[in-house]
Amino acid sequence: MRALTLTAFLLAFVQLGSLAADAAAEEKMSVKKSTFGKLADGREVEQYTLENGRGMTAKVITYGGILTSLTTPDRNGKPGEVTLGFDALEPYLAGHPYFGATTGRVANRIAKGRFTIDGVEYKLKTNNGPNHLHGGEVGFDKVLWKGEPVTTGAGVKLTHVSPDGDEGYPGKLTVTVVYSLTDKNELKIDYTATTDKATPINLTNHTYWNLADGGKSDILKHVLTLNSDRYLPADAQLIPTGELKSVRGTPMDFTKPMEIGARMAQVPGEPNGYDHCYVLNQDSPGTLVLAARVREPESGRVMEIHTTEPAIQLYTGNFLDGTLKSRGATYKQHHAFCLEAEHYPDSINQPAFPTTLLKPGQTYRQTTVHRFSVE
């Protein structure tokens, strides 16, 4: 009886210690607002710095809803940068490949910038050859969002109203994006949207990741696992053909842990690298599932991505050419990867794909969680 009582006491003591640690971490969570710069018309761009009390810091600006920075500890407990981005506004205004941006109304491509809803054809801005990419010439990555701190934990709520006809899209679309850090070293992104007219929507975050050093070296040795048995073959302009093809026996197969660069030379296209949409293994649409796991051997950092979206786009920084530099890094080809949780590209034109059409009275919802750990 005494042994049982002692065991129960020790267990209770450990549980109390854990609760105390969690409470202390909660108390250390913080959100700080500062000025990041001003646009040409004088409007102020705000930066929100989120800290979770466990060594993780994220920075988000209201221009483009951009995650400009995320630092997280390595296996030795030393925090380090794991994203590509800038510490000033001017490089973002000068043009960049969607570093950390919230992309929309529709992320990825719409073939020929056209689609039809209820017999009415809509023509969008084409900004990627003959196609429409990431919302057009002035997508959500180039607008000023309204920001406000989240009162519980460490988070920021961004809101934007896209007017009817914006970049050619129908309907007034009201969008909310909430970035938050948890005490489990997670970056959580929650999206919601409503419309007054039927319109396609496909939001994602376009962060460029490098778990080793934030872009100073390449990501070819990062070990990737994808929860996907199929991918979407695409034409030369990266528009899906409509086929869902098995990854088995191809260089597209990441169902088991594999270095990103191990079979990159076998991937067709120029420049070489991955820029492919993977169909996630998801039993029930809209449920949060593990989509990807990335491990960086030297730092020990691990990132898991869970999402409610049906697909994830793998991009390996194929077009980074060394012209952009920041934080002591020169951003060269394959110095980062993107894993963009989203719907399939060109879904509005391909009825067999999961729909991206949002109608009045409906609410678009999406959650994507980036969970960081070490091993």
Side-chain angles (χ1 to χ4, degrees):
M1 179 66 74
R2 288 182 179 179
L4 180 61
T5 302
L6 180 59
T7 299
F9 172 79
L10 291 174
L11 180 60
F13 183 79
V14 170
Q15 290 174 336
L16 285 172
S18 178
L19 290 172
D22 290 342
E26 180 69 26
E27 289 179 0
K28 292 181 180 179
M29 285 190 176
S30 66
V31 183
K32 297 177 182 178
K33 185 175 76 171
S34 59
T35 299
F36 195 71
K38 291 186 177 181
L39 301 179
D41 60 9
R43 288 180 296 166
E44 182 178 288
V45 176
E46 300 169 342
Q47 176 176 265
Y48 289 82
T49 300
L50 317 179
E51 297 183 358
N52 74 340
R54 292 185 181 273
M56 179 179 283
T57 301
K59 296 181 179 181
V60 178
I61 61 173
T62 50
Y63 177 76
I66 293 172
L67 176 71
T68 64
S69 170
L70 191 142
T71 59
T72 189
D74 62 14
R75 67 161 59 94
N76 297 316
K78 181 180 179 181
E81 182 64 62
V82 295
T83 73
L84 276 59
F86 307 110
D87 295 327
L89 178 61
E90 288 72 21
Y92 288 110
L93 299 179
H96 64 104
Y98 302 96
F99 285 157
T102 299
T103 55
R105 285 188 191 189
V106 173
N108 220 309
R109 293 166 177 82
I110 295 179
K112 300 179 181 179
R114 297 184 180 188
F115 58 86
T116 300
I117 300 176
D118 295 332
V120 178
E121 183 181 61
Y122 295 92
K123 298 179 181 180
L124 308 177
K125 299 289 182 66
T126 51
N127 59 324
N128 185 242
N131 303 314
H132 176 87
L133 176 67
H134 292 328
E137 293 177 352
V138 185
F140 291 173
D141 61 294
K142 296 181 182 68
V143 301
L144 188 64
W145 296 66
K146 177 185 177 182
E148 57 183 295
V150 174
T151 55
T152 57
V156 56
K157 177 182 177 181
L158 303 175
T159 305
H160 175 62
V161 178
S162 175
D164 185 20
D166 191 10
E167 293 294 297
Y169 287 100
K172 175 183 175 183
L173 186 75
T174 302
V175 184
T176 298
V177 180
V178 178
Y179 287 90
S180 58
L181 296 184
T182 75
D183 59 5
K184 297 178 181 178
N185 272 11
E186 296 169 329
L187 171 69
K188 186 180 181 184
I189 312 176
D190 292 297
Y191 307 78
T192 57
T194 56
T195 184
D196 64 0
K197 190 184 296 185
T199 189
I201 181 172
N202 183 22
L203 304 179
T204 194
N205 175 271
H206 207 297
T207 293
Y208 285 64
W209 302 99
N210 183 318
L211 304 185
D213 50 31
K216 295 178 181 178
S217 62
D218 66 55
I219 48 82
L220 302 181
K221 296 292 185 181
H222 283 55
V223 179
L224 171 65
T225 311
L226 293 176
N227 180 23
S228 172
D229 296 323
R230 297 173 297 170
Y231 75 102
L232 302 180
D235 63 20
Q237 297 172 349
L238 299 179
I239 300 297
T241 62
E243 178 186 6
L244 275 64
K245 189 173 182 179
S246 173
V247 301
R248 302 294 180 180
T250 77
M252 314 303 297
D253 191 352
F254 287 95
T255 54
K256 295 181 180 179
M258 179 69 64
E259 289 184 355
I260 291 176
R263 298 159 301 174
M264 190 174 284
Q266 303 172 36
V267 178
E270 184 61 39
N272 72 305
Y274 294 93
D275 195 357
H276 297 80
C277 185
Y278 283 80
V279 177
L280 297 178
N281 299 329
Q282 192 177 45
D283 292 333
S284 179
T287 57
L288 195 69
V289 297
L290 175 64
R293 185 179 193 271
V294 187
R295 176 174 60 85
E296 200 288 302
E298 295 300 318
S299 67
R301 292 189 181 95
V302 175
M303 178 176 71
E304 290 185 352
I305 300 178
H306 295 73
T307 186
T308 56
E309 291 297 275
I312 196 162
Q313 182 88 9
L314 170 63
Y315 172 60
T316 49
N318 308 331
F319 291 96
L320 296 175
D321 60 8
T323 58
L324 298 176
K325 303 177 182 181
S326 184
R327 303 168 182 160
T330 299
Y331 299 150
K332 300 179 182 179
Q333 186 184 53
H334 304 151
H335 274 216
F337 65 90
C338 302
L339 285 166
E340 306 152 56
E342 58 184 32
H343 271 59
Y344 306 174
D346 199 36
S347 287
I348 192 64
N349 290 317
Q350 305 210 31
F353 288 178
T355 185
T356 54
L357 190 65
L358 180 68
K359 299 179 180 180
Q362 298 176 336
T363 299
Y364 169 91
R365 301 183 190 278
Q366 190 223 124
T367 296
T368 296
V369 180
H370 298 76
R371 181 178 299 161
F372 294 87
S373 60
V374 293
E375 62 179 33

